Amino acid sequence: TDWVSCVVPWTLYPVAVYYLRDAFLGGADARWWLTTVRLGVIFSLWVLNAHPGYLVPLAIILAVYILVAAPRTLAVYGSLATAGMFALAASAERIYFLLHEKSLFPANSIREAQSGYVLLTYLASQLPPLTSIGDLRQPFVGAFVLGAAVAAPLWWRSFDRQARGYIIAFLVAVAMSVVSLEQVAWTGLSGV
């Protein structure tokens, strides 16, 4: 099944964010090689073991976080670029295989993908512990995360660059999840 390959990107994602945050908060300046190797290994393991359907959407969200939260220094961007090149080299065979496999399917083949959610679906996802609802394919967001997302704009000015990066990345993820399948069909990605 795809379960193992779906779990890998989600479990490595917090690790990637943790080490990115470490790089942004001085790790790239103080321990450039260690920071670079850590990020390169994590990114390559992520690509090598993840379900391909999760790679691009999660990479987009990670890129948004990097663009907002990363300090504009040569050490940070040099570390990220070197780690990215290492990850590409380490996972090149997997990337080639995925692109080649995708090219074997005709462009007009039917894709099994679901359309995006609506914002009301996020509120409905809080109800299953309390009541039964028909469709269990709901977005997974806990009450605490939902409450934090709603309350975050109230303290926007007091947040540092890292917290703003988290908030904007989260909002981009929500926006990507409510996009309809018709709007993103040309990208080859699903609405979710």
Side-chain angles (χ1 to χ4, degrees), residues 119 121-129 138-149 170 174:
L119 291 177
T121 313
Y122 282 96
L123 295 175
S125 69
Q126 304 304 310
L127 300 177
Q138 301 292 330
F140 180 76
V141 60
F144 178 78
V145 171
L146 187 63
F170 178 80
V174 170

Side-chain angles (χ1 to χ4, degrees), residues 5-192:
S5 61
C6 292
V7 167
V8 168
W10 292 107
T11 55
L12 280 178
Y13 210 65
V15 177
V17 172
Y18 174 82
Y19 284 114
L20 280 170
R21 182 178 184 276
D22 177 65
F24 300 162
L25 295 178
D29 293 321
R31 304 169 310 277
W32 192 88
W33 279 109
L34 179 62
T35 300
T36 303
V37 170
R38 280 178 179 165
L39 290 173
V41 169
I42 290 167
F43 292 153
S44 61
L45 287 174
W46 188 49
V47 173
L48 288 169
N49 295 293
H51 185 283
Y54 286 110
L55 287 175
V56 174
L58 289 175
I60 291 170
I61 303 305
L62 206 57
V64 167
Y65 169 68
I66 290 169
L67 289 174
V68 174
R72 309 300 190 263
T73 66
L74 182 60
V76 170
Y77 279 96
S79 177
L80 291 174
T82 306
M85 290 188 315
F86 173 79
L88 282 174
S91 56
E93 188 275 334
R94 171 84 170 147
I95 294 169
Y96 173 80
F97 171 77
L98 293 173
L99 293 175
H100 175 69
E101 189 176 68
K102 183 180 181 207
S103 71
L104 297 177
F105 291 93
N108 60 355
S109 64
I110 298 173
R111 294 180 327 153
E112 290 293 326
Q114 89 185 62
S115 188
Y117 298 115
V118 294
L119 291 177
L120 190 58
T121 313
Y122 282 96
L123 295 175
S125 69
Q126 304 304 310
L127 300 177
L130 307 173
T131 184
S132 63
I133 56 174
D135 183 16
L136 294 179
R137 291 190 69 124
Q138 301 292 330
F140 180 76
V141 60
F144 178 78
V145 171
L146 187 63
V150 170
L154 300 174
W155 292 283
W156 178 259
R157 293 187 188 274
S158 65
F159 289 140
D160 65 354
R161 183 179 213 132
Q162 295 298 313
R164 289 181 181 163
Y166 300 143
I167 293 167
I168 292 173
F170 178 80
L171 293 176
V172 169
V174 170
M176 286 175 60
S177 73
V178 297
V179 172
S180 70
L181 186 58
E182 295 77 29
Q183 292 171 320
V184 294
W186 61 273
T187 65
L189 304 172
S190 71
V192 185

